[in-house]
Amino acid sequence: MHFEYQIEGGNFTRAGYASSEIKKKLKQLNVDLGIIKRTVVATYEAEVNVVAHAYSGTIYVDFDEEKVVIKLVDEGPGIPDIDQAMKEGFSTASSTVREMGFGAGMGLPNMKKNADDLQITSEVNKGTTVVITMFFKKEAKDL
Amino acid sequence: MTVKELKEKLDLTIYSGEQGLDNEITGGYVSDLLSDVMGNADAGEVWVTLQTHKNVMAIASLKDMAAIILVNNHKPEEDTLAQSNEEGIPLLGTAMTTFEVTGRLWELIKK
C-alpha cells in the first residue's frame, strides 16, 4: 500500500493531519498499539519539522506485511549539522514557533527515541529527507 | 473517574467536545511544550496547559488523551473548538493557575 500527503511549510493548522491518517491506517491493519504510539510520535515530530522549517514537503508512506516506511522529503533550508540538530534542546525555530510551544529542541530526539530506524539526509539550501521505518513485529527490530 | 466527574468536582467550564465527557481519566500531564507532551504523555490522561491553538487538539487526538484543561482563563481559538468537537475530546477551562489545578487534580486521581 502506498500513500502520499502534502505538507505546506508554515501552515500549522494542518500540522498533524498526515500523522493522523497514518495512525488510522495502522489501526485498520491491527498493528500493535505500542508500535502505533511510537509511529505517531515519530511521524508527528517529522511532520511538524517540515511545517516549522521547510517551504513544502511530501510524505510517502509504504506499508507491507512487516513494516511501514514513512519518508518525508522537503524543500527547505536543510540542516547544516545533523549531529548538532539531534541534540536535545538544540533548536533553530523562530520565536513565533516557540511561543506556540514548539521548537524546544525535542523533536528530533523524540523521533530517534521512537523510530525503529531513522535516517536523515540533508543538503543546505535544498532540503531534508527523513526516513522513519517501523517494524510491526518487535523481534524485527533486533535483526 | 470520568471527565464529567472531574468537571463537576473542579467546577470546570466546558468549551467543547461534550461527546467525550464520559472519557475515563487514567492520569494527567502538565506541560506547555508540545514535543514534551508528544513524547511523554499517555493515552487517557488529562492535559493541563495554557496553549490555546489548534495543534493542542491534534496532539491530544494523536495521543488519545481524555481531555484538556486550559488554565488561567485562557480561551481556546475558534478552530481549536471546532477540532475538539470533531474529535470528541473535551476542552475544559478554569480560572485556577496551573499550580492550583494540578494540585487538585493530583488529589483526585492519584493512584
Short mmCIF file of all heavy atoms in Angstrom, two decimals, chain A residues 16-83:
data_model
loop_
_atom_site.label_atom_id
_atom_site.label_comp_id
_atom_site.label_asym_id
_atom_site.label_seq_id
_atom_site.Cartn_x
_atom_site.Cartn_y
_atom_site.Cartn_z
N GLY A 16 -0.10 17.67 11.60
CA GLY A 16 -0.65 16.51 12.30
C GLY A 16 -1.65 15.73 11.47
O GLY A 16 -2.03 14.63 11.83
N TYR A 17 -2.09 16.33 10.35
CA TYR A 17 -3.10 15.66 9.52
C TYR A 17 -2.58 14.32 8.98
O TYR A 17 -3.23 13.28 9.12
CB TYR A 17 -3.54 16.57 8.37
CG TYR A 17 -4.44 15.87 7.38
CD1 TYR A 17 -5.79 15.67 7.70
CD2 TYR A 17 -3.96 15.36 6.18
CE1 TYR A 17 -6.62 14.99 6.81
CE2 TYR A 17 -4.77 14.68 5.30
CZ TYR A 17 -6.10 14.50 5.62
OH TYR A 17 -6.92 13.82 4.75
N ALA A 18 -1.39 14.36 8.39
CA ALA A 18 -0.83 13.13 7.82
C ALA A 18 -0.59 12.09 8.92
O ALA A 18 -0.90 10.91 8.73
CB ALA A 18 0.47 13.44 7.07
N SER A 19 -0.09 12.54 10.06
CA SER A 19 0.17 11.60 11.16
C SER A 19 -1.13 10.93 11.59
O SER A 19 -1.16 9.73 11.90
CB SER A 19 0.77 12.35 12.36
OG SER A 19 1.93 13.01 11.97
N SER A 20 -2.19 11.72 11.61
CA SER A 20 -3.49 11.19 12.00
C SER A 20 -3.99 10.15 10.99
O SER A 20 -4.54 9.10 11.36
CB SER A 20 -4.46 12.36 12.14
OG SER A 20 -5.75 11.90 12.34
N GLU A 21 -3.79 10.44 9.70
CA GLU A 21 -4.20 9.48 8.65
C GLU A 21 -3.40 8.19 8.76
O GLU A 21 -3.94 7.09 8.61
CB GLU A 21 -4.00 10.11 7.27
CG GLU A 21 -4.95 11.26 6.96
CD GLU A 21 -6.42 10.84 7.02
OE1 GLU A 21 -6.79 9.90 6.30
OE2 GLU A 21 -7.17 11.45 7.80
N ILE A 22 -2.11 8.32 9.01
CA ILE A 22 -1.25 7.14 9.12
C ILE A 22 -1.67 6.30 10.34
O ILE A 22 -1.74 5.07 10.29
CB ILE A 22 0.24 7.54 9.20
CG1 ILE A 22 0.67 8.17 7.86
CG2 ILE A 22 1.14 6.36 9.55
CD1 ILE A 22 1.99 8.91 7.88
N LYS A 23 -1.99 7.00 11.43
CA LYS A 23 -2.46 6.31 12.64
C LYS A 23 -3.72 5.50 12.34
O LYS A 23 -3.83 4.33 12.73
CB LYS A 23 -2.76 7.35 13.73
CG LYS A 23 -3.26 6.78 15.04
CD LYS A 23 -3.66 7.90 15.99
CE LYS A 23 -4.33 7.36 17.24
NZ LYS A 23 -4.93 8.44 18.05
N LYS A 24 -4.66 6.10 11.59
CA LYS A 24 -5.90 5.39 11.24
C LYS A 24 -5.61 4.13 10.43
O LYS A 24 -6.19 3.08 10.67
CB LYS A 24 -6.83 6.31 10.42
CG LYS A 24 -7.58 7.31 11.27
CD LYS A 24 -8.47 8.19 10.39
CE LYS A 24 -8.72 9.52 11.07
NZ LYS A 24 -9.11 10.57 10.10
N LYS A 25 -4.69 4.26 9.47
CA LYS A 25 -4.34 3.11 8.63
C LYS A 25 -3.73 1.99 9.48
O LYS A 25 -4.06 0.82 9.29
CB LYS A 25 -3.35 3.53 7.55
CG LYS A 25 -3.87 4.60 6.60
CD LYS A 25 -4.23 4.02 5.25
CE LYS A 25 -4.83 4.96 4.25
NZ LYS A 25 -5.41 6.21 4.61
N LEU A 26 -2.85 2.35 10.40
CA LEU A 26 -2.20 1.35 11.25
C LEU A 26 -3.23 0.64 12.12
O LEU A 26 -3.14 -0.57 12.36
CB LEU A 26 -1.11 1.99 12.12
CG LEU A 26 0.12 2.52 11.38
CD1 LEU A 26 0.99 3.35 12.31
CD2 LEU A 26 0.94 1.37 10.80
N LYS A 27 -4.22 1.41 12.59
CA LYS A 27 -5.28 0.81 13.41
C LYS A 27 -6.09 -0.18 12.59
O LYS A 27 -6.42 -1.25 13.08
CB LYS A 27 -6.19 1.91 13.97
CG LYS A 27 -5.60 2.57 15.20
CD LYS A 27 -6.66 3.36 15.96
CE LYS A 27 -6.20 3.62 17.38
NZ LYS A 27 -7.06 4.61 18.06
N GLN A 28 -6.40 0.22 11.34
CA GLN A 28 -7.15 -0.69 10.46
C GLN A 28 -6.38 -1.99 10.23
O GLN A 28 -6.98 -3.04 10.07
CB GLN A 28 -7.41 -0.02 9.11
CG GLN A 28 -8.53 1.02 9.15
CD GLN A 28 -8.53 1.92 7.92
OE1 GLN A 28 -7.82 1.66 6.95
NE2 GLN A 28 -9.31 2.99 7.97
N LEU A 29 -5.06 -1.88 10.21
CA LEU A 29 -4.22 -3.06 9.96
C LEU A 29 -3.99 -3.86 11.24
O LEU A 29 -3.24 -4.83 11.24
CB LEU A 29 -2.87 -2.63 9.38
CG LEU A 29 -2.89 -2.05 7.97
CD1 LEU A 29 -1.54 -1.44 7.62
CD2 LEU A 29 -3.25 -3.12 6.94
N ASN A 30 -4.61 -3.41 12.35
CA ASN A 30 -4.46 -4.10 13.64
C ASN A 30 -3.02 -4.20 14.12
O ASN A 30 -2.64 -5.18 14.75
CB ASN A 30 -5.06 -5.50 13.57
CG ASN A 30 -6.55 -5.45 13.78
OD1 ASN A 30 -7.04 -4.66 14.61
ND2 ASN A 30 -7.27 -6.24 13.02
N VAL A 31 -2.26 -3.17 13.84
CA VAL A 31 -0.87 -3.14 14.31
C VAL A 31 -0.89 -2.97 15.83
O VAL A 31 -1.78 -2.32 16.39
CB VAL A 31 -0.11 -1.98 13.61
CG1 VAL A 31 1.27 -1.77 14.21
CG2 VAL A 31 -0.02 -2.25 12.11
N ASP A 32 0.08 -3.56 16.50
CA ASP A 32 0.23 -3.47 17.95
C ASP A 32 0.16 -2.00 18.41
O ASP A 32 0.81 -1.13 17.83
CB ASP A 32 1.58 -4.10 18.33
CG ASP A 32 1.92 -3.91 19.78
OD1 ASP A 32 1.40 -4.70 20.59
OD2 ASP A 32 2.68 -2.99 20.12
N LEU A 33 -0.59 -1.75 19.47
CA LEU A 33 -0.85 -0.39 19.92
C LEU A 33 0.43 0.37 20.30
O LEU A 33 0.58 1.56 20.02
CB LEU A 33 -1.82 -0.43 21.12
CG LEU A 33 -2.47 0.90 21.49
CD1 LEU A 33 -3.26 1.48 20.33
CD2 LEU A 33 -3.37 0.72 22.71
N GLY A 34 1.36 -0.34 20.92
CA GLY A 34 2.63 0.28 21.30
C GLY A 34 3.39 0.77 20.08
O GLY A 34 4.01 1.84 20.09
N ILE A 35 3.34 -0.01 19.01
CA ILE A 35 4.02 0.36 17.77
C ILE A 35 3.32 1.57 17.14
O ILE A 35 3.96 2.49 16.65
CB ILE A 35 4.10 -0.84 16.80
CG1 ILE A 35 4.94 -1.95 17.43
CG2 ILE A 35 4.68 -0.43 15.44
CD1 ILE A 35 4.88 -3.28 16.71
N ILE A 36 1.99 1.55 17.18
CA ILE A 36 1.24 2.70 16.64
C ILE A 36 1.63 3.96 17.40
O ILE A 36 1.90 5.00 16.81
CB ILE A 36 -0.29 2.48 16.74
CG1 ILE A 36 -0.70 1.28 15.89
CG2 ILE A 36 -1.05 3.74 16.32
CD1 ILE A 36 -2.20 0.99 15.88
N LYS A 37 1.70 3.88 18.72
CA LYS A 37 2.03 5.05 19.54
C LYS A 37 3.39 5.61 19.16
O LYS A 37 3.56 6.83 19.01
CB LYS A 37 2.03 4.68 21.02
CG LYS A 37 0.65 4.53 21.62
CD LYS A 37 0.76 4.21 23.11
CE LYS A 37 -0.62 4.06 23.73
NZ LYS A 37 -0.51 3.76 25.18
N ARG A 38 4.38 4.73 19.00
CA ARG A 38 5.73 5.20 18.65
C ARG A 38 5.75 5.78 17.24
O ARG A 38 6.41 6.79 16.99
CB ARG A 38 6.74 4.05 18.79
CG ARG A 38 7.01 3.66 20.24
CD ARG A 38 8.21 2.75 20.39
NE ARG A 38 8.00 1.42 19.83
CZ ARG A 38 8.58 0.96 18.73
NH1 ARG A 38 9.45 1.70 18.06
NH2 ARG A 38 8.32 -0.25 18.30
N THR A 39 5.01 5.16 16.34
CA THR A 39 4.96 5.66 14.96
C THR A 39 4.36 7.07 14.95
O THR A 39 4.85 7.97 14.24
CB THR A 39 4.08 4.74 14.08
OG1 THR A 39 4.53 3.40 14.24
CG2 THR A 39 4.15 5.14 12.61
N VAL A 40 3.30 7.27 15.72
CA VAL A 40 2.62 8.56 15.77
C VAL A 40 3.57 9.65 16.28
O VAL A 40 3.64 10.74 15.71
CB VAL A 40 1.35 8.45 16.65
CG1 VAL A 40 0.85 9.82 17.06
CG2 VAL A 40 0.26 7.69 15.92
N VAL A 41 4.31 9.35 17.33
CA VAL A 41 5.23 10.36 17.89
C VAL A 41 6.30 10.74 16.85
O VAL A 41 6.50 11.92 16.56
CB VAL A 41 5.92 9.85 19.19
CG1 VAL A 41 6.95 10.86 19.68
CG2 VAL A 41 4.89 9.58 20.28
N ALA A 42 6.92 9.73 16.28
CA ALA A 42 8.00 9.99 15.31
C ALA A 42 7.47 10.74 14.08
O ALA A 42 8.08 11.70 13.60
CB ALA A 42 8.66 8.68 14.90
N THR A 43 6.31 10.30 13.58
CA THR A 43 5.77 10.91 12.36
C THR A 43 5.31 12.34 12.62
O THR A 43 5.55 13.24 11.81
CB THR A 43 4.58 10.08 11.82
OG1 THR A 43 4.98 8.73 11.73
CG2 THR A 43 4.14 10.57 10.45
N TYR A 44 4.65 12.56 13.75
CA TYR A 44 4.17 13.91 14.05
C TYR A 44 5.34 14.89 14.16
O TYR A 44 5.30 15.99 13.60
CB TYR A 44 3.36 13.92 15.35
CG TYR A 44 2.85 15.29 15.71
CD1 TYR A 44 1.75 15.84 15.06
CD2 TYR A 44 3.48 16.06 16.69
CE1 TYR A 44 1.28 17.10 15.38
CE2 TYR A 44 3.02 17.32 17.01
CZ TYR A 44 1.93 17.84 16.34
OH TYR A 44 1.48 19.10 16.66
N GLU A 45 6.38 14.48 14.85
CA GLU A 45 7.54 15.36 15.01
C GLU A 45 8.17 15.68 13.65
O GLU A 45 8.57 16.82 13.39
CB GLU A 45 8.59 14.72 15.92
CG GLU A 45 8.14 14.55 17.36
CD GLU A 45 8.00 15.86 18.13
OE1 GLU A 45 8.17 16.95 17.53
OE2 GLU A 45 7.72 15.80 19.34
N ALA A 46 8.24 14.67 12.80
CA ALA A 46 8.83 14.88 11.48
C ALA A 46 7.95 15.81 10.65
O ALA A 46 8.44 16.70 9.93
CB ALA A 46 9.00 13.54 10.77
N GLU A 47 6.65 15.63 10.77
CA GLU A 47 5.69 16.46 10.03
C GLU A 47 5.79 17.92 10.50
O GLU A 47 5.85 18.85 9.68
CB GLU A 47 4.28 15.90 10.27
CG GLU A 47 3.23 16.50 9.37
CD GLU A 47 1.83 15.94 9.64
OE1 GLU A 47 1.67 14.94 10.37
OE2 GLU A 47 0.88 16.55 9.11
N VAL A 48 5.84 18.11 11.82
CA VAL A 48 5.92 19.47 12.36
C VAL A 48 7.24 20.14 11.95
O VAL A 48 7.27 21.34 11.67
CB VAL A 48 5.77 19.45 13.90
CG1 VAL A 48 6.23 20.77 14.52
CG2 VAL A 48 4.32 19.19 14.27
N ASN A 49 8.30 19.36 11.88
CA ASN A 49 9.58 19.94 11.45
C ASN A 49 9.48 20.51 10.04
O ASN A 49 10.04 21.57 9.76
CB ASN A 49 10.69 18.88 11.49
CG ASN A 49 11.33 18.80 12.86
OD1 ASN A 49 11.07 19.64 13.73
ND2 ASN A 49 12.15 17.79 13.07
N VAL A 50 8.78 19.82 9.16
CA VAL A 50 8.61 20.33 7.79
C VAL A 50 7.80 21.62 7.83
O VAL A 50 8.15 22.62 7.21
CB VAL A 50 7.94 19.27 6.88
CG1 VAL A 50 7.66 19.86 5.50
CG2 VAL A 50 8.81 18.03 6.77
N VAL A 51 6.71 21.62 8.61
CA VAL A 51 5.87 22.82 8.72
C VAL A 51 6.69 23.98 9.31
O VAL A 51 6.60 25.12 8.83
CB VAL A 51 4.63 22.55 9.61
CG1 VAL A 51 3.81 23.82 9.79
CG2 VAL A 51 3.77 21.46 9.00
N ALA A 52 7.47 23.71 10.33
CA ALA A 52 8.18 24.77 11.06
C ALA A 52 9.40 25.30 10.29
O ALA A 52 9.76 26.47 10.43
CB ALA A 52 8.61 24.27 12.43
N HIS A 53 10.03 24.45 9.50
CA HIS A 53 11.32 24.85 8.91
C HIS A 53 11.35 24.91 7.39
O HIS A 53 12.14 25.66 6.83
CB HIS A 53 12.42 23.88 9.38
CG HIS A 53 12.65 23.89 10.86
ND1 HIS A 53 13.31 24.90 11.50
CD2 HIS A 53 12.28 23.02 11.82
CE1 HIS A 53 13.36 24.65 12.81
NE2 HIS A 53 12.73 23.51 13.02
N ALA A 54 10.54 24.09 6.73
CA ALA A 54 10.69 23.99 5.27
C ALA A 54 9.62 24.80 4.53
O ALA A 54 8.74 25.39 5.15
CB ALA A 54 10.60 22.52 4.85
N TYR A 55 9.73 24.86 3.20
CA TYR A 55 8.75 25.60 2.39
C TYR A 55 7.61 24.68 1.97
O TYR A 55 6.46 25.08 1.89
CB TYR A 55 9.43 26.21 1.16
CG TYR A 55 10.78 26.81 1.48
CD1 TYR A 55 11.92 26.47 0.74
CD2 TYR A 55 10.93 27.71 2.54
CE1 TYR A 55 13.16 27.01 1.05
CE2 TYR A 55 12.17 28.25 2.86
CZ TYR A 55 13.28 27.89 2.11
OH TYR A 55 14.51 28.40 2.43
N SER A 56 7.96 23.45 1.70
CA SER A 56 6.94 22.47 1.34
C SER A 56 7.54 21.08 1.48
O SER A 56 8.76 20.92 1.53
CB SER A 56 6.46 22.68 -0.09
OG SER A 56 7.50 22.36 -0.98
N GLY A 57 6.67 20.10 1.51
CA GLY A 57 7.17 18.74 1.64
C GLY A 57 6.14 17.72 1.23
O GLY A 57 4.96 18.03 1.07
N THR A 58 6.62 16.50 1.03
CA THR A 58 5.72 15.39 0.70
C THR A 58 6.07 14.22 1.62
O THR A 58 7.25 13.97 1.88
CB THR A 58 5.90 14.94 -0.76
OG1 THR A 58 5.77 16.10 -1.59
CG2 THR A 58 4.86 13.92 -1.17
N ILE A 59 5.02 13.56 2.10
CA ILE A 59 5.24 12.34 2.89
C ILE A 59 4.84 11.15 2.03
O ILE A 59 3.74 11.12 1.49
CB ILE A 59 4.38 12.33 4.18
CG1 ILE A 59 4.57 13.61 4.98
CG2 ILE A 59 4.72 11.11 5.03
CD1 ILE A 59 3.88 13.59 6.34
N TYR A 60 5.76 10.23 1.86
CA TYR A 60 5.49 8.99 1.12
C TYR A 60 5.40 7.86 2.15
O TYR A 60 6.33 7.65 2.91
CB TYR A 60 6.62 8.69 0.13
CG TYR A 60 6.87 9.83 -0.84
CD1 TYR A 60 7.80 10.83 -0.53
CD2 TYR A 60 6.19 9.91 -2.05
CE1 TYR A 60 8.04 11.88 -1.42
CE2 TYR A 60 6.42 10.95 -2.93
CZ TYR A 60 7.35 11.93 -2.62
OH TYR A 60 7.57 12.97 -3.50
N VAL A 61 4.28 7.16 2.15
CA VAL A 61 4.09 6.10 3.13
C VAL A 61 3.93 4.78 2.40
O VAL A 61 3.08 4.66 1.52
CB VAL A 61 2.84 6.37 4.00
CG1 VAL A 61 2.72 5.34 5.10
CG2 VAL A 61 2.88 7.77 4.58
N ASP A 62 4.74 3.80 2.76
CA ASP A 62 4.64 2.47 2.16
C ASP A 62 4.49 1.41 3.23
O ASP A 62 5.36 1.27 4.08
CB ASP A 62 5.89 2.19 1.31
CG ASP A 62 5.83 2.96 0.00
OD1 ASP A 62 5.09 2.54 -0.89
OD2 ASP A 62 6.49 4.01 -0.07
N PHE A 63 3.38 0.71 3.16
CA PHE A 63 3.14 -0.39 4.10
C PHE A 63 3.42 -1.71 3.40
O PHE A 63 3.08 -1.87 2.23
CB PHE A 63 1.65 -0.46 4.48
CG PHE A 63 1.14 0.70 5.28
CD1 PHE A 63 0.60 1.81 4.65
CD2 PHE A 63 1.18 0.67 6.67
CE1 PHE A 63 0.10 2.87 5.40
CE2 PHE A 63 0.68 1.72 7.41
CZ PHE A 63 0.14 2.82 6.78
N ASP A 64 4.03 -2.64 4.09
CA ASP A 64 3.97 -4.03 3.63
C ASP A 64 3.64 -4.89 4.85
O ASP A 64 3.23 -4.34 5.88
CB ASP A 64 5.25 -4.47 2.89
CG ASP A 64 6.48 -4.45 3.77
OD1 ASP A 64 6.34 -4.61 5.00
OD2 ASP A 64 7.58 -4.29 3.23
N GLU A 65 3.81 -6.19 4.75
CA GLU A 65 3.37 -7.04 5.86
C GLU A 65 4.19 -6.85 7.12
O GLU A 65 3.70 -7.06 8.23
CB GLU A 65 3.42 -8.51 5.42
CG GLU A 65 2.20 -8.86 4.59
CD GLU A 65 2.28 -10.27 4.05
OE1 GLU A 65 3.16 -11.02 4.51
OE2 GLU A 65 1.48 -10.59 3.16
N GLU A 66 5.47 -6.50 6.93
CA GLU A 66 6.33 -6.43 8.10
C GLU A 66 6.58 -5.04 8.64
O GLU A 66 7.00 -4.89 9.77
CB GLU A 66 7.72 -7.00 7.79
CG GLU A 66 7.80 -8.00 6.69
CD GLU A 66 9.23 -8.45 6.52
OE1 GLU A 66 10.05 -7.62 6.07
OE2 GLU A 66 9.51 -9.61 6.86
N LYS A 67 6.38 -4.04 7.80
CA LYS A 67 6.81 -2.71 8.25
C LYS A 67 6.07 -1.59 7.53
O LYS A 67 5.37 -1.82 6.54
CB LYS A 67 8.32 -2.55 8.00
CG LYS A 67 8.70 -2.61 6.53
CD LYS A 67 10.21 -2.52 6.35
CE LYS A 67 10.61 -2.46 4.89
NZ LYS A 67 10.24 -3.64 4.09
N VAL A 68 6.24 -0.38 8.08
CA VAL A 68 5.80 0.81 7.37
C VAL A 68 7.02 1.72 7.25
O VAL A 68 7.78 1.88 8.21
CB VAL A 68 4.61 1.51 8.06
CG1 VAL A 68 4.89 1.86 9.51
CG2 VAL A 68 4.19 2.77 7.30
N VAL A 69 7.22 2.23 6.04
CA VAL A 69 8.32 3.16 5.80
C VAL A 69 7.70 4.53 5.49
O VAL A 69 6.89 4.66 4.57
CB VAL A 69 9.21 2.70 4.63
CG1 VAL A 69 10.33 3.71 4.37
CG2 VAL A 69 9.79 1.32 4.93
N ILE A 70 8.05 5.52 6.30
CA ILE A 70 7.49 6.86 6.16
C ILE A 70 8.64 7.79 5.77
O ILE A 70 9.57 8.01 6.54
CB ILE A 70 6.85 7.31 7.49
CG1 ILE A 70 5.74 6.32 7.87
CG2 ILE A 70 6.30 8.73 7.38
CD1 ILE A 70 5.38 6.33 9.34
N LYS A 71 8.53 8.30 4.53
CA LYS A 71 9.62 9.11 4.01
C LYS A 71 9.12 10.54 3.81
O LYS A 71 8.14 10.77 3.09
CB LYS A 71 10.07 8.52 2.67
CG LYS A 71 11.23 9.21 2.02
CD LYS A 71 11.61 8.42 0.77
CE LYS A 71 12.72 9.11 0.00
NZ LYS A 71 13.03 8.37 -1.23
N LEU A 72 9.79 11.48 4.46
CA LEU A 72 9.40 12.89 4.35
C LEU A 72 10.47 13.62 3.55
O LEU A 72 11.64 13.65 3.97
CB LEU A 72 9.26 13.54 5.72
CG LEU A 72 8.19 12.94 6.64
CD1 LEU A 72 8.80 11.92 7.58
CD2 LEU A 72 7.48 14.03 7.42
N VAL A 73 10.08 14.16 2.42
CA VAL A 73 11.03 14.87 1.57
C VAL A 73 10.60 16.33 1.53
O VAL A 73 9.48 16.64 1.12
CB VAL A 73 11.02 14.28 0.14
CG1 VAL A 73 12.03 15.00 -0.75
CG2 VAL A 73 11.31 12.79 0.18
N ASP A 74 11.49 17.23 1.97
CA ASP A 74 11.09 18.64 1.93
C ASP A 74 12.02 19.48 1.09
O ASP A 74 13.15 19.10 0.81
CB ASP A 74 10.93 19.21 3.35
CG ASP A 74 12.25 19.51 4.06
OD1 ASP A 74 13.19 20.04 3.43
OD2 ASP A 74 12.32 19.24 5.27
N GLU A 75 11.46 20.62 0.65
CA GLU A 75 12.28 21.66 0.04
C GLU A 75 12.40 22.74 1.10
O GLU A 75 11.38 23.26 1.57
CB GLU A 75 11.58 22.22 -1.20
CG GLU A 75 11.65 21.29 -2.38
CD GLU A 75 10.83 21.81 -3.55
OE1 GLU A 75 10.72 23.05 -3.70
OE2 GLU A 75 10.30 20.98 -4.28
N GLY A 76 13.63 23.03 1.47
CA GLY A 76 13.80 23.99 2.56
C GLY A 76 15.25 24.33 2.78
O GLY A 76 16.09 24.05 1.92
N PRO A 77 15.52 24.91 3.93
CA PRO A 77 16.88 25.39 4.20
C PRO A 77 17.88 24.28 4.45
O PRO A 77 19.09 24.49 4.37
CB PRO A 77 16.71 26.25 5.46
CG PRO A 77 15.50 25.69 6.13
CD PRO A 77 14.60 25.22 5.03
N GLY A 78 17.39 23.07 4.75
CA GLY A 78 18.30 21.96 5.06
C GLY A 78 18.88 22.10 6.46
O GLY A 78 18.65 23.10 7.15
N ILE A 79 19.62 21.07 6.86
CA ILE A 79 20.24 21.06 8.20
C ILE A 79 21.76 21.03 8.01
O ILE A 79 22.30 20.04 7.51
CB ILE A 79 19.80 19.81 9.00
CG1 ILE A 79 18.25 19.73 9.06
CG2 ILE A 79 20.38 19.84 10.42
CD1 ILE A 79 17.74 18.41 9.64
N PRO A 80 22.47 22.10 8.38
CA PRO A 80 23.91 22.14 8.15
C PRO A 80 24.67 21.09 8.97
O PRO A 80 25.64 20.52 8.49
CB PRO A 80 24.33 23.54 8.60
CG PRO A 80 23.08 24.31 8.83
CD PRO A 80 21.96 23.34 8.98
N ASP A 81 24.23 20.85 10.21
CA ASP A 81 24.95 19.92 11.09
C ASP A 81 23.93 19.00 11.77
O ASP A 81 23.31 19.37 12.76
CB ASP A 81 25.74 20.73 12.13
CG ASP A 81 26.59 19.86 13.03
OD1 ASP A 81 26.34 18.63 13.11
OD2 ASP A 81 27.53 20.39 13.66
N ILE A 82 23.76 17.81 11.21
CA ILE A 82 22.72 16.91 11.71
C ILE A 82 23.02 16.45 13.14
O ILE A 82 22.12 16.36 13.97
CB ILE A 82 22.52 15.72 10.75
CG1 ILE A 82 21.93 16.24 9.42
CG2 ILE A 82 21.57 14.67 11.34
CD1 ILE A 82 21.81 15.21 8.32
N ASP A 83 24.29 16.20 13.46
CA ASP A 83 24.64 15.75 14.82
C ASP A 83 24.21 16.80 15.85
O ASP A 83 23.68 16.47 16.91
CB ASP A 83 26.14 15.51 14.95
CG ASP A 83 26.55 14.24 14.22
OD1 ASP A 83 25.65 13.39 13.99
OD2 ASP A 83 27.73 14.10 13.86
#
